[in-house]
């Protein structure tokens, strides 16, 4: 029998990058999967890549009406959820003094409010004994310049994931987070990145990361699915997948 056979999984933000990596591992393991995204072109590409058995749904995590509709669609497509992965996230760089209110609101609307209310609305569908995994970020511990708002959005997610872990103990639902460092995805988690800045971002990331390289989507997906299914005595945790960046590992004395 396949590893995830009989499991029903929902990935919020699964059209490309780390979310797509998780989706592909779930599908390979025999799970029934529904994923969301926002951009029509990316949704179409995901449909073409994954085939008709995977439910690919347009739902903007920042839009409450979309979230309401999503719950209905998940209910009729899967009937319930054994594993919910809230991967959605976006970031915009700006020094603290130059952050605009619009940029602040855009990031909090998706990363924090969107994540929060998506889970609140989908929670009645999550089966007792199921699990939820959020994607946070290494920035929760690094204090990276230019990322004040993004870091605030992800720190909030970690905070409310821990409270949710407590509140869901009676239902046997585990709630955990993965905190990626620099990971090679189309967007690197940053909106509007040009090829040039993306290459520079990778170079800086490889230099700053104690393991001397960026991570892969496959490495993050393995950690997500370990928390989702394998880590049966773990809840409220945030696992770094960052090449030692968050802990500042070093070989020098
Ligand atoms: N890559 C990194 O180095 C890195 C490091 C630390 C943390 N992270 C975090 O890891 C997560 C995944 O990052 P990634 O690099 O894989 O990102 P990505 O490739 O940009 O993928 C993000 C996914 O979320 C979807 N999405 C974005 N905004 C949405 C919205 N409002 N509603 C619904 N779906 C939305 C995107 O779909 P559309 O394109 O269709 O909108 C896409 O499927 C994010 O939470 C990010 O903050 C990334």
């Amino acid at each position: 029998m396949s590893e995830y056979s009989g499991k029903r999984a929902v990935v919020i933000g699964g059209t490309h990058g780390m979310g797509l990596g998780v989706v592909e591992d779930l599908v390979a393991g025999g799970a029934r999967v529904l994923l969301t995204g926002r951009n029509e072109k990316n949704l179409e590409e995901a449909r073409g890549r994954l085939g008709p058995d995977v439910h690919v749904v347009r739902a903007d995590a920042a839009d409450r009406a979309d979230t309401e509709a999503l719950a209905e669609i998940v209910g009729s497509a899967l009937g319930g959820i054994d594993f919910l992965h809230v991967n959605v996230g976006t970031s915009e760089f700006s020094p603290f003094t130059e952050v605009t209110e619009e940029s602040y609101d855009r990031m909090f609307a998706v990363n924090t409010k969107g994540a929060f209310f998506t889970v609140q609305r989908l929670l009645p569908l999550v089966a007792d004994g199921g699990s939820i995994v959020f994607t946070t970020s290494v920035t929760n511990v690094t204090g990276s310049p230019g990322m004040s708002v993004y870091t605030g959005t992800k720190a909030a997610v970690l905070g409310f994931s821990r409270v949710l872990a407590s509140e869901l103990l009676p239902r046997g639902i585990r709630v955990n987070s993965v905190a990626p460092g620099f990971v090679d995805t189309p967007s690197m988690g940053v909106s509007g990145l040009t090829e040039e800045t993306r290459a520079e971002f990778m170079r800086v990331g490889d230099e700053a990361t104690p393991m001397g390289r960026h991570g892969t989507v496959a490495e993050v997906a393995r950690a997500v699915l370990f928390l989702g299914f394998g880590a049966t005595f773990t809840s409220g945790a945030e696992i770094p997948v960052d090449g030692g960046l968050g802990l500042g590992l070093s070989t020098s004395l």
Side-chain angles (χ1 to χ4, degrees), residues 12-251:
I12 305 299
T15 52
H16 50 84
M18 297 180 216
L20 179 60
V22 172
V23 166
E24 292 191 317
D25 284 0
L26 283 163
V27 171
R32 290 164 61 205
V33 183
L34 183 149
L35 67 90
T36 71
R38 182 183 44 176
N39 177 294
E40 286 296 351
K41 182 173 155 285
N42 297 339
L43 287 159
E44 239 356 272
E45 275 176 21
R47 283 187 192 106
R49 183 176 171 129
L50 296 163
D53 290 343
V54 175
H55 304 274
V56 178
V57 178
R58 192 200 170 279
D60 183 347
D63 184 319
R64 293 298 301 282
D66 279 12
T67 307
E68 286 296 323
L70 175 66
E72 298 298 322
I73 294 166
V74 171
S76 51
L78 300 180
I81 303 171
D82 300 296
F83 172 56
L84 174 59
H85 179 34
V86 185
N87 171 68
V88 65
T90 185
S91 75
E92 299 171 25
F93 283 117
S94 192
F96 186 92
T97 50
E98 290 169 26
V99 171
T100 64
E101 197 173 340
E102 291 73 23
S103 166
Y104 181 104
D105 287 344
R106 270 196 300 273
M107 279 184 269
F108 267 93
V110 176
N111 301 6
T112 311
K113 189 174 175 186
F116 187 101
F117 286 103
T118 298
V119 175
Q120 190 192 62
R121 188 62 190 82
L122 294 183
L123 200 49
L125 291 165
V126 178
D128 290 0
S131 82
I132 301 171
V133 174
F134 291 93
T135 306
T136 56
S137 171
V138 67
T139 58
N140 274 352
V141 291
T142 51
S144 306
M147 305 201 79
S148 55
V149 178
Y150 175 74
T151 301
T153 67
K154 293 293 191 178
V157 169
L158 179 61
F160 66 64
S161 75
R162 288 189 164 144
V163 175
L164 194 58
S166 297
E167 292 188 5
L168 292 178
L169 286 171
R171 292 186 54 200
I173 299 171
R174 297 175 301 102
V175 183
N176 292 290
S177 303
V178 285
F182 287 89
V183 179
D184 187 5
T185 67
S187 74
M188 299 289 294
V190 180
S191 80
L193 211 60
T194 62
E195 267 312 308
E196 206 179 18
T197 41
R198 186 177 182 284
E200 177 63 6
F201 199 55
M202 292 283 261
R203 191 191 61 74
V204 169
D206 291 355
E207 249 176 49
T209 301
M211 285 190 185
R213 65 172 179 89
H214 50 269
T216 66
V217 162
E219 288 172 313
V220 178
R222 274 202 294 279
V224 168
L225 292 169
F226 168 67
L227 286 172
F229 295 96
T232 51
F233 199 44
T234 303
S235 196
E238 184 189 50
I239 293 192
V241 187
D242 64 359
L245 181 60
L247 286 174
L249 297 183
S250 165
T251 52

